[in-house]
Amino acid sequence: MKPSVVILAYNSVETLGTTLAQARQISDDLHVVDSFSTDDTVALSQQHGAQVVQHAFESYGAQRNWAIGHLPLRYPWQLHLDADERLTQELIASIQTLPENPDYSGFLIARLVQFLGRQMRHGGMSPTWHMRLFRDGAGRCEERKYDQHFYLTQGSAGQLQGYMIDEIRMSLSEWTARHNRWSDAEVMEQTQAMDAVHIQPRLWGNPLERKRYLRGLYNRAPLFVRPYALFFYRYFLRLGFLDGWEGFIFWTLQTFWFRFLIDAKLFEHRKKKTI
């Protein structure tokens, strides 16, 4: 199999070069959808032989679906990446050895988080599974405000060996600022009708469906109790403490601070409705 590769980018010169170099190992049809970067992202993409299209960013889901519907992709399969996602050699080999016409319509790929230079290997959140490789016409992306995933509109999914590495290089100041914005999006998701949800929660389904099922259990738990419970589960029961000081920072911020902030904003929202 030789898929067309689609990469979303914005001011991504620190990580995009590696992503493009690895993508070239599996395809000669590379496309970068740039959200009008102000650095050298466009020039770097062109140096690596990628076709660059600039399109205003509305949301991740909208940007991904625009790319699916508008890019002149050469091959009947497409692989979607972010500019800070690296591919392990095992994953590259898994894609290279796929037949041109496999029985599946898409493939789930495991993603590891690399935070402050360390790969998170514990905690039950790294790796997570994502639908990123699929046949033309068989995949779309949920247009949710937060935690959107690709899903198949037809056929079934397989799983590939190897990992995508989500290399977080931004400062903690930028990381927390983004999560503050994402907490607003999560509150909106939980307080409004979510017509953009397409992945159904199933305990015994694929990894994406199982994740949605567990997220539903979490969302039904009491405010302010659930962030403590989630941190205890990930850091102690799922051995997040084995990820060192970097893991302590990541699991504290990601599974306690971020989730507590969401609960605080939900509490604020509900209180305003009663006034």
Side-chain angles (χ1 to χ4, degrees):
M1 179 189 294
K2 185 184 287 185
S4 297
V5 180
V6 179
I7 302 172
L8 300 189
Y10 175 72
N11 288 349
S12 305
V13 290
E14 289 190 7
T15 58
L16 182 58
T18 300
T19 303
L20 286 168
Q22 293 173 337
R24 286 200 66 82
Q25 296 183 51
I26 57 176
S27 180
D28 57 357
D29 188 35
L30 309 182
H31 300 260
V32 172
V33 180
D34 177 68
S35 305
F36 295 96
S37 293
T38 57
D39 63 3
D40 294 327
T41 292
V42 172
L44 178 64
S45 302
Q46 293 170 339
Q47 289 171 12
H48 282 268
Q51 299 182 52
V52 180
V53 177
Q54 292 188 304
H55 185 260
F57 185 87
E58 180 181 337
S59 68
Y60 286 103
Q63 193 81 329
R64 295 189 190 282
N65 287 331
W66 182 90
I68 291 172
H70 291 83
L71 294 181
L73 304 180
R74 188 185 309 167
Y75 299 118
W77 281 75
Q78 46 191 274
L79 173 68
H80 289 258
L81 301 171
D82 288 338
D84 56 358
E85 289 176 338
R86 297 186 287 106
L87 312 181
T88 65
Q89 287 303 312
E90 184 182 14
L91 176 58
I92 291 172
S94 295
I95 296 173
Q96 289 173 332
T97 55
L98 285 172
E100 291 186 8
N101 189 29
D103 295 332
Y104 297 106
S105 296
F107 290 91
L108 292 163
I109 299 174
R111 186 177 72 176
L112 286 170
V113 173
Q114 182 167 309
F115 184 77
L116 296 179
R118 180 169 184 148
Q119 289 182 16
M120 303 293 105
R121 292 280 184 167
H122 305 90
M125 181 180 162
S126 178
T128 54
W129 290 88
H130 296 262
M131 178 72 63
R132 294 297 189 84
L133 178 64
F134 48 82
R135 197 187 307 270
D136 283 355
R140 297 285 292 174
C141 185
E142 297 175 302
E143 294 197 21
R144 299 181 60 179
K145 301 296 183 182
Y146 178 71
D147 194 32
Q148 62 284 321
H149 285 268
F150 286 99
Y151 62 95
L152 292 180
T153 58
Q154 57 183 278
S156 59
Q159 297 182 13
L160 294 179
Q161 298 295 315
Y163 297 100
M164 299 182 296
I165 309 296
D166 181 12
E167 187 176 5
I168 301 173
R169 286 198 180 184
M170 69 188 78
S171 67
L172 286 177
S173 295
E174 174 62 20
W175 191 88
T176 52
R178 290 191 185 190
H179 277 72
N180 182 40
R181 296 195 297 269
W182 291 338
S183 68
D184 290 334
E186 177 70 8
V187 169
M188 188 178 301
E189 293 283 2
Q190 293 193 36
T191 56
Q192 297 181 1
M194 294 190 294
D195 296 331
V197 175
H198 293 276
I199 298 172
Q200 299 304 311
R202 295 185 180 93
L203 178 59
W204 307 115
N206 66 38
L208 291 179
E209 294 167 340
R210 188 161 55 250
K211 177 185 175 183
R212 282 287 161 83
Y213 176 84
L214 296 174
R215 176 61 61 84
L217 294 180
Y218 178 88
N219 287 343
R220 291 191 292 273
L223 294 184
F224 303 120
V225 174
R226 55 193 188 179
Y228 289 93
L230 182 62
F231 175 77
F232 181 82
Y233 170 74
R234 294 208 180 279
Y235 192 69
F236 293 104
L237 298 184
R238 296 303 301 269
L239 307 182
F241 62 87
L242 294 179
D243 289 323
W245 284 110
E246 296 87 353
F248 177 70
I249 296 170
F250 178 79
W251 297 116
T252 300
L253 291 178
Q254 177 67 38
T255 62
F256 177 71
W257 170 79
F258 177 52
R259 291 293 158 186
F260 189 93
L261 181 61
I262 291 171
D263 281 5
K265 291 183 177 182
L266 283 169
F267 179 82
E268 177 188 44
H269 174 81
R270 294 173 185 177
K271 191 170 183 179
K272 286 181 177 178
K273 289 184 65 175
T274 62
I275 298 177

